Amino acid sequence: MTDLAEAPAPVWPIPSSLSPSRVSSFTSCPMQFRFSSVQRLPEPPGVATTKGSVVHRALELLFVLPAGERTPAALARCLDDALEEYSTDPDYVALRLDETAAQKFRADCDKLIERYFDMEDPTAIRDIGLEVRMAANVGTLELRGIIDRLELDDDGELVVTDYKTGRAPSGNFEQKSLAGVHFYSFLCEAVLGRRPAKIRLMYLSSGETIETVPSAQSVRFIDTRTSAVWKAVERACTTGDFRPNQSRLCDWCGFQQWCPAFGGDPDRAETEAVAAYEALLADPVAVG
Ligand code: SF4
C-alpha cells in the first residue's frame, strides 16, 4: 500500500512538440487546438491558405537560383512550377476550383509575386537558408518552427524574413503578429547560438514590411510564455477541459459544426471530419 494517489491518466494524449502557430492556436481557442493539434483532425483547406503556400513555394524556388538570375520573369516561371507541384496536392485538389476559380487563384498569386519586386531586390539578398527547420527544447517541450528565409545583412548579422500573404495587421494587432516571430529569434539563439539582428515580416498583399529588433528580453519572454502555455496544454489534456473561445476567427474555423459554442457535439468530430475530408478528396469535381 502506498499513500501516494496515482496521477489520473490524461483524457487526451499530451503533444510532445509545438510550433509557434500551435501555441497561438491554443491561446486563441483551446477547443480548436484540441481538434487540430491533439486529435489531429483534417481541416478542409482554405483558398487563402493554399494560395499562401503556393506563393511561398514560388519564392523558395526563386532563391534556389543564383542571385543574378532572380528576375520577375524567373519568379513567374517559379510560380508556374509551384502551381504544377500543387495541382496534385490534397490542399489544392480539395479546393475543387472550377476553371474560373482556378484562373482567379492564379491571378491572385500573380499579383502577390508582382508586388514582391516592389519590396526588395532579391539579387542583393545574401540568403543562407530557405525553409529552415529548427527545434529547441523549452523544459520537456520541443518547440519547432520553419523559417522562410535566413540571410546575412551587410554587417554579417543574421536576419530572419517571413513572407505573409494575408493582410498586414493594424494598430494593436501589429505587436501580436510580432510576438509570433520572436519565436524565430528564440530558435536561432537556441540552435545557432546567435540572436538575429532583425526580423522582417513582408506583407505581399499590401507591400508593407514590418521589422523588429529582437532583444535578450524578447527571447526570454518566449521561454516564459511558452512554458506557461505548455502547462495550460498539459492541464487541458489531463482534464479534457478544452473550452471554446468565440472570436472573429470562428468565421474561418473548419470545426465550427462540432463546436459546442455553435451547438455542435465535439465527440462526433473524429469520425465525421475524417469522412468529410476523404469525400472531398475522392471527388475532385468542381462544384462551381
Ligand atoms: S468555432 Fe470558434 S469557438 Fe468553436 S472551435 Fe472554432 S474557433 Fe473555437
Side-chain angles (χ1 to χ4, degrees):
M1 285 284 287
T2 170
D3 291 340
L4 294 175
E6 272 187 33
V11 175
W12 292 104
I14 300 171
S16 58
S17 66
L18 280 184
S19 66
S21 60
R22 299 292 188 199
V23 171
S24 142
S25 151
F26 183 82
T27 53
S28 300
C29 177
M31 178 54 77
Q32 192 192 48
F33 178 88
R34 170 189 140 172
F35 290 137
S36 63
S37 301
V38 178
Q39 292 184 266
R40 297 181 172 277
L41 302 181
E43 226 176 323
V47 173
T49 308
T50 307
K51 216 180 286 172
S53 303
V54 169
V55 169
H56 272 74
R57 178 64 179 145
L59 285 165
E60 183 188 358
L61 293 172
L62 180 77
F63 276 86
V64 170
L65 298 173
E69 295 176 21
R70 296 168 188 167
T71 61
L75 183 52
R77 284 194 298 277
C78 291
L79 179 59
D80 286 339
D81 292 344
L83 282 164
E84 176 67 29
E85 282 177 21
Y86 269 82
S87 63
T88 52
D89 188 289
D91 280 353
Y92 184 86
V93 173
L95 294 177
R96 297 154 66 114
L97 303 179
D98 61 15
E99 205 181 320
T100 310
Q103 281 171 358
K104 180 171 182 330
F105 186 98
R106 165 74 205 221
D108 289 346
C109 291
D110 280 334
K111 266 189 223 150
L112 290 166
I113 65 165
E114 275 166 31
R115 193 159 295 119
Y116 165 75
F117 278 92
D118 296 334
M119 301 174 72
E120 69 175 12
D121 173 7
T123 65
I125 303 292
R126 297 164 64 198
D127 50 296
I128 56 171
L130 304 171
E131 299 293 317
V132 185
R133 290 172 188 273
M134 288 188 178
N137 280 83
V138 177
T140 56
L141 168 71
E142 186 179 60
L143 192 60
R144 297 163 177 263
I146 303 175
I147 292 174
D148 288 344
R149 196 177 81 203
L150 197 57
E151 66 219 46
L152 297 176
D153 66 13
D154 292 343
D155 300 321
E157 297 291 337
L158 286 179
V159 175
V160 170
T161 294
D162 199 36
Y163 307 119
K164 299 284 183 192
T165 48
R167 276 192 303 177
S170 58
N172 296 336
F173 289 103
E174 184 171 307
Q175 279 315 312
K176 198 173 174 198
S177 70
L178 285 172
V181 295
H182 283 301
F183 273 107
Y184 299 130
S185 52
F186 172 84
L187 288 172
C188 282
E189 195 162 308
V191 176
L192 305 174
R194 284 172 69 182
R195 190 163 68 233
K198 196 161 57 181
I199 298 182
R200 303 166 70 221
L201 301 183
M202 296 180 69
Y203 285 90
L204 302 173
S205 56
S206 60
E208 290 165 75
T209 299
I210 298 176
E211 295 186 348
T212 186
V213 176
S215 63
Q217 192 188 9
S218 64
V219 170
R220 249 194 333 270
F221 175 68
I222 291 300
D223 197 326
T224 312
R225 179 169 176 263
T226 306
S227 300
V229 171
W230 183 236
K231 279 203 179 70
V233 169
E234 284 182 317
R235 203 163 41 240
C237 289
T238 304
T239 60
D241 185 3
F242 287 93
R243 297 194 183 180
N245 179 30
Q246 282 180 269
S247 71
R248 61 181 189 166
L249 294 178
C250 298
D251 292 346
W252 296 281
C253 178
F255 303 112
Q256 204 186 87
Q257 61 182 301
W258 301 290
C259 174
F262 288 82
D265 178 358
D267 293 336
R268 296 175 65 138
E270 182 115 23
T271 41
E272 293 182 2
V274 172
Y277 189 70
E278 282 174 356
L280 208 55
L281 292 181
D283 178 20
V285 176
V287 290

